[in-house]
Amino acid sequence: MTVIAARARLLLGAACAVVIAVSSVAVATLAHADLTGPPGTTLKAAAERSGRYFGAAMGRDRLTDNGFLTIANREFDMMTAVNEMKPDATEPNRGQFDFRAGDAIYNWATQRGMRFRGHTLAWHAQQPRFWGSLSGSALRQAMIDHINGVMAHYKGKLYAWDVVNEAFAENGSRRSSNLQATGNDWIEAAFRAARAADPGVQLCYNDYNIENWTYAKTQGVYNMIRDFKARGVPIDCVGLQTHFTGGSSLPGNFQQTLSSFAALGVDVALTEADVTNASSSQYQGLTQACMNVPRCVGITTWGIRDSDSWRGNENPLLFDRNSNPKPAYTSVLNALNAASTTVPGTSTPPSTPPSTPPSTPPSTPPSTPPVTGQPGACTATYRTASTWNGGYQGEVTVANNGSAALTGWTVQLTLAGGQTVANVWNGINTGTSGTISVRNAAYNGSVGANASTSFGFLVNGSTGTAPGSLTCTSP
Ligand code: G3I
């Protein structure tokens, strides 16, 4: 993968006053999207054209399976461990962590240039045996300790973590479990602990049967994510497992589900895809839905060949037992190559500035309120969302004080010496230290009159000084 810096946006229009604040951050490791290039001839090459990835899941036993490894190395650029990073595997006894199996998979994949999704930190299944004898605050603490222990080991090494897995019931309420019994806030406690443990990794909620927009469980998860975003609970992504096996199939409104989650300000990903009998039309449809949603960042299949599948009798994967690509493989490849949207922040910068020059702000205030948008009619307000030893999370609210909708915004702020941005969400940054600018992402540049939006960032470095010199400009 190529690490690219987001392109600088021309700062146009009048600078706006900014209210104080502090914080940090940006930088993402993303594919360099180029939709004008030749079609990809492998899944990963086709996905990378639009700044996306194509992933698989593997168990430790596949490390000696040359048939599997050959395809994995050729076709995939993201890997997930099927069982080896789950709580029972990584902390078999309290405080006694075992990363041997997870590391073996991680090392194999990353030595071949793949990125890695961690799966999973808190789940009702595959728990350490000792969790079974705990409850209440003792179990809650064990969960937090587990998150801290595992994330410390993989700190700075992973693309994303499935922090919490499968916490909802089919009727849209919380699934009853020993973790749920510790209090309804157990999920946000897990996410807050995770952000503090590794501020640079994407934090995901992951579940199945949340692909149909009108399904109660989908709405339950959606409402939780919306609530988290409203209250500042750290969450970056939603994983839709996309198991169209065992009686499930691709719903017609799948793209609406993806775009609805994305509109909340999170990335979405298809994390465990498999389809009964590898229906080409369903594989094509699920891929196309992802390609149509800018913040759908990638697709992972749960295994590679039918012989790898947890539902092998349904032959649900893209390769047969002889390692040959099936018709669905071609459908997916073509749909990846046909992508018309790119992941925000991954596009090739244009070689020339926009052809239409922005209007120059008036030198004196107009005597009557403007009917159209006033240049520079935004303000930026900073707040520190949380701090920890060696870093902090900041949030900037961009408010539209004009009488017409903003069509884009750019905030400039200056970090204290020694501070470096590690991650930015809901915005695209240029620069990671000193004076940086953050412009709107593709989905939040439009801000109505008297409305606001926000972006967040993580900063590594001293926590004593908040960012200063905030300005906001709008074309
Ligand atoms: O390793 C033991 C082996 O020693 C023993 O002989 C054998 C006897 O049953 O069991 C083996 O462990 C099995 C393990 O997979 C490794 O193969 C477990 O019984 C079995 O329960 C476990 O199943 C895993 C399942 O999660 C557990 O919930 C599947 O491999 C794994 O693919 C599946 O993955 C889940 C995702 O995490 C979440 N979403 C659904 C997905 C599919 O169920």
Side-chain angles (χ1 to χ4, degrees):
M1 282 293 157
T2 308
V3 177
I4 61 165
R7 73 182 171 95
R9 179 185 176 91
L10 292 174
L11 298 179
L12 302 170
C16 292
V18 174
V19 188
I20 291 283
V22 180
S23 277
S24 42
V25 193
V27 176
T29 302
L30 296 165
H32 185 125
D34 182 4
L35 294 179
T36 65
T41 58
T42 61
L43 296 170
K44 65 182 176 187
E48 287 168 13
R49 291 179 84 248
S50 61
R52 296 181 170 89
Y53 64 80
F54 208 92
M58 69 183 284
R60 175 174 46 179
D61 52 358
R62 296 302 183 270
L63 288 169
T64 52
D65 183 333
N66 286 329
F68 181 97
L69 297 177
T70 299
I71 308 175
N73 194 21
R74 185 183 72 224
E75 300 281 344
F76 297 86
D77 57 10
M78 184 73 78
M79 192 52 74
T80 306
V82 174
N83 290 304
E84 290 76 1
M85 292 190 188
K86 290 173 177 174
D88 61 342
T90 52
E91 194 184 2
N93 300 296
R94 184 154 207 169
Q96 202 178 85
F97 292 91
D98 184 348
F99 300 112
R100 286 172 296 183
D103 284 354
I105 298 171
Y106 173 86
N107 289 337
W108 183 86
T110 56
Q111 283 163 8
R112 285 155 184 80
M114 299 178 200
R115 289 186 287 169
F116 212 94
R117 295 190 83 260
H119 174 81
T120 178
L121 295 167
W123 189 21
H124 67 272
Q126 288 179 277
Q127 297 184 350
R129 195 180 296 267
F130 73 89
W131 284 15
S133 58
L134 301 175
S135 62
S137 58
L139 177 59
R140 174 71 66 88
Q141 191 58 51
M143 178 190 80
I144 302 289
D145 292 345
H146 178 78
I147 290 170
N148 285 333
V150 176
M151 292 189 77
H153 180 75
Y154 288 109
K155 187 173 182 179
K157 295 180 167 180
L158 302 187
Y159 166 71
W161 264 113
D162 290 333
V163 178
V164 170
N165 193 43
E166 301 176 1
F168 275 75
E170 298 305 296
N171 68 2
S173 64
R174 293 288 184 86
R175 175 197 292 270
S176 60
S177 72
N178 59 344
L179 292 171
Q180 181 64 29
T182 68
N184 204 51
D185 62 343
W186 74 275
I187 299 179
E188 62 189 87
F191 275 88
R192 290 186 199 280
R195 178 71 91 212
D198 184 353
V201 70
Q202 297 276 303
L203 305 180
C204 304
Y205 176 78
N206 192 55
D207 214 330
Y208 62 91
N209 285 355
I210 58 169
E211 292 81 18
N212 186 331
W213 177 239
T214 61
Y215 193 54
K217 186 174 179 180
T218 310
Q219 291 299 309
V221 173
Y222 176 84
N223 288 331
M224 178 186 74
I225 307 297
R226 185 172 57 179
D227 170 56
F228 279 14
K229 297 301 284 187
R231 291 190 296 112
V233 177
I235 184 164
D236 307 307
C237 37
V238 175
L240 297 92
Q241 293 185 7
T242 321
H243 288 299
F244 296 143
T245 44
S248 298
S249 58
L250 174 69
N253 56 21
F254 187 43
Q255 185 178 319
Q256 182 185 4
T257 305
L258 296 176
S259 58
S260 299
F261 275 116
L264 294 177
V266 289
D267 285 349
V268 291
L270 283 45
T271 52
E272 304 181 15
D274 46 22
V275 181
T276 304
N277 295 325
S279 156
S280 287
S281 61
Q282 289 191 55
Y283 262 117
Q284 191 277 339
L286 69 87
T287 306
Q288 187 179 325
C290 180
M291 297 305 107
N292 288 348
V293 175
R295 289 199 82 170
C296 186
V297 294
I299 300 172
T300 292
T301 56
W302 206 242
I304 290 180
R305 305 158 305 183
D306 291 331
S307 49
D308 306 316
S309 173
W310 68 303
R311 283 198 159 128
N313 61 341
E314 294 188 33
N315 297 317
L317 294 173
L318 298 176
F319 293 83
D320 67 20
R321 289 158 205 276
N322 296 318
S323 296
N324 295 315
K326 295 155 68 173
Y329 170 92
T330 307
S331 300
V332 170
L333 189 70
N334 290 342
L336 294 171
N337 278 319
S340 59
T341 76
T342 57
V343 173
T346 66
S347 295
T348 307
S351 53
T352 54
S355 54
T356 327
S359 58
T360 308
S363 53
T364 53
S367 54
T368 52
V371 180
T372 55
Q374 182 177 351
C378 62
T379 57
T381 307
Y382 171 85
R383 79 177 182 96
T384 300
S386 61
T387 62
W388 54 90
N389 192 14
Y392 62 89
Q393 177 188 337
E395 183 181 283
V396 172
T397 299
V398 176
N400 177 6
N401 303 315
S403 55
L406 301 179
T407 56
W409 47 263
T410 300
V411 171
Q412 205 167 46
L413 54 87
T414 301
L415 300 171
Q419 295 183 353
T420 311
V421 169
N423 189 23
V424 174
W425 55 96
N426 298 338
I428 299 169
N429 65 297
T430 299
T432 58
S433 61
T435 297
I436 69 166
S437 66
V438 180
R439 67 180 167 88
N440 59 276
Y443 52 86
N444 65 356
S446 175
V447 183
N450 299 315
S452 65
T453 186
S454 66
F455 67 88
F457 53 96
L458 289 175
V459 173
N460 290 327
S462 62
T463 57
T465 311
S469 304
L470 274 79
T471 61
C472 181
T473 55
S474 171

